[in-house]
Amino acid sequence: CGGMQNKNHENCVTVQIYLGLTVFLMLCVLQTLLSEKVTQMMEWASKRSVIRMNGDKFRRFVKAPPRNYSVVIMFTALQPQRQCGVCRQADEEFQVLANSWRYSSAFTNKVFFASVDFDEGSDVFQMLNMNSAPTFLHFPPKGKPRRTDTYELQVRGFAAEQLARWVADRTDVQIRVIRPPNYAGPLLLGFLLAVIGGLAYLRRHNLEFLFNKNVWAFSALCFVLIMTSGQMWNHIRGPPYAHKNPSTGQVSYIHGSSQAQFVAETHIVLLFNAAVTMGMVLLCEAATSDMDIGKRKIMCVAGIGLVMLFFSWLLSIFRAKYHGYPYSFLLS
């Protein structure tokens, strides 16, 4: 019995040694594989800040373990036949973000930026049940992406600064967005000031137009209409101009949520507000003008028509964005 116990003990020790060696070899293989993947990702990132991936690269370097790095992927459709203008705009902002990270002093192998084009990785779109573009997803080092790992493009827009905040929330990596110098704004401002200065110089002996109340009233109205239409929100959030459904091809110019808007939507609201304002001006002129009664009647009818029609359209847009709003006028 004692001999059998010693033999069983020796067998148990042998099994434990074999198990330990197997685990050790597996860890070595995994560590080697992880090192190769990180090295390959770093090599690609050194050539292009946004790594282009197809189905094979996505499965090997993103889906398959081991992985100790995060990957932020933009799923897009940049080919001309896809006619996705929003994709091109989002790609430019994504490139700015990736370049800001790649060429910063804090750059590490903790986060990589990549893109999957529909025409190069349609199998990836099918794998993820994705039917719209552009879409931004964060793949964490461990586990599957959560709901918060999908970027809310329609709410936050695709400006590089907004994307950087989202990446910081998901990865704790702070990216300072550095944009290439854009001289269009200063040049346009300089040209505008030069035109104004030139006009003032040419009419230096007759500057009565500077004291014209109609000029200042028109300028103030333009400023108010621009600000109330949401232009500042566009400047801060950087939303897309419109949204095209890749499945149906239908283009939406009005966002369906009250928490976001498209650039085209602000232009539409601006024009509608301007038309209502014009109607009110015509009504005021019809009541106070010294013109003959016939012209004043025409101005009155035109003013009422503009106010009623465009105010009803504004209410219909409001109802479309604020679901459940009970009031309407002319249009349901």
Side-chain angles (χ1 to χ4, degrees):
C1 291
M4 293 181 63
Q5 291 178 354
N6 290 334
K7 187 174 182 179
N8 290 335
H9 178 71
E10 291 177 357
N11 289 336
C12 289
V13 172
T14 303
V15 170
Q16 291 177 357
I17 292 174
Y18 279 136
L19 288 175
L21 288 174
T22 302
V23 172
F24 176 75
L25 290 174
M26 290 179 63
L27 291 176
C28 289
V29 171
L30 290 175
Q31 186 63 34
T32 302
L33 180 59
L34 177 61
S35 178
E36 291 177 353
K37 292 173 70 172
V38 173
T39 301
Q40 182 64 74
M41 293 289 285
M42 289 292 289
E43 180 181 349
W44 285 335
S46 65
K47 298 177 181 178
R48 300 186 59 165
S49 299
V50 177
I51 303 171
R52 296 181 62 177
M53 287 191 171
N54 53 23
D56 294 335
K57 288 182 179 179
F58 178 81
R59 282 185 285 270
R60 180 183 175 188
F61 292 93
V62 179
K63 293 290 288 184
R67 181 164 53 85
N68 63 351
Y69 50 85
S70 293
V71 185
V72 179
I73 300 183
M74 179 183 69
F75 296 88
T76 185
L78 294 174
Q79 296 302 318
Q81 65 269 21
R82 300 300 173 187
Q83 298 181 355
C84 183
V86 178
C87 294
R88 289 189 289 272
Q89 298 174 24
D91 180 67
E92 293 176 359
E93 292 296 309
F94 195 61
Q95 294 286 346
V96 170
L97 175 64
N99 287 330
S100 300
W101 170 240
R102 173 63 186 84
Y103 297 106
S104 70
S105 58
F107 174 73
T108 63
N109 57 13
K110 186 177 179 180
V111 179
F112 293 99
F113 292 89
S115 66
V116 176
D117 194 282
F118 179 80
D119 292 282
E120 298 175 359
S122 58
D123 52 338
V124 180
F125 279 73
Q126 296 176 0
M127 182 193 311
L128 300 176
N129 295 321
M130 193 174 299
N131 55 10
S132 64
T135 300
F136 299 92
L137 284 180
H138 166 247
F139 293 87
K142 296 180 181 179
K144 297 181 178 180
R146 301 178 181 179
R147 183 177 180 181
T148 51
D149 287 313
T150 300
Y151 181 71
E152 296 177 329
L153 178 65
Q154 304 298 336
V155 175
R156 307 178 68 171
F158 50 70
E161 291 77 8
Q162 292 293 330
L163 289 168
R165 295 188 186 98
W166 171 66
V167 171
D169 292 338
R170 307 313 309 151
T171 65
D172 293 328
V173 171
Q174 303 292 333
I175 302 177
R176 180 173 175 265
V177 176
I178 301 176
R179 294 182 176 275
N182 184 3
Y183 301 106
L187 287 176
L188 182 60
L189 179 61
F191 176 76
L192 181 61
L193 293 176
V195 170
I196 295 175
L199 291 175
Y201 178 77
L202 292 175
R203 301 192 60 178
R204 60 186 181 277
H205 301 299
N206 184 14
L207 298 178
E208 294 181 359
F209 68 95
L210 292 177
F211 303 95
N212 190 316
K213 64 178 182 179
N214 291 330
V215 172
W216 288 105
F218 179 77
S219 302
L221 278 176
C222 291
F223 179 79
V224 170
L225 290 173
I226 291 173
M227 292 296 104
T228 55
S229 64
Q231 297 295 334
M232 189 57 66
W233 194 94
N234 293 341
H235 180 73
I236 296 173
R237 295 295 186 91
Y241 186 82
H243 176 69
K244 182 178 182 180
N245 190 316
S247 301
T248 62
Q250 183 179 2
V251 180
S252 299
Y253 298 102
I254 305 295
H255 198 285
S257 170
S258 60
Q259 303 297 320
Q261 65 184 19
F262 297 133
V263 175
E265 182 179 331
T266 63
H267 295 166
I268 294 172
V269 172
L270 172 63
L271 292 176
F272 286 4
N273 282 329
V276 173
T277 303
M278 177 59 69
M280 297 300 297
V281 170
L282 288 176
L283 288 174
C284 292
E285 287 294 319
T288 60
S289 176
D290 295 331
M291 292 186 296
D292 61 86
I293 191 66
K295 293 182 179 179
R296 292 170 64 182
K297 285 182 178 180
I298 294 174
M299 294 172 62
C300 183
V301 172
I304 293 175
L306 286 173
V307 171
M308 293 179 63
L309 179 61
F310 287 95
F311 182 72
S312 63
W313 277 341
L314 283 172
L315 274 182
S316 65
I317 293 176
F318 192 83
R319 283 168 56 87
K321 295 180 68 67
Y322 291 83
H323 304 286
Y325 185 75
Y327 305 108
S328 62
F329 181 65
L330 295 183
L331 302 175
S332 58

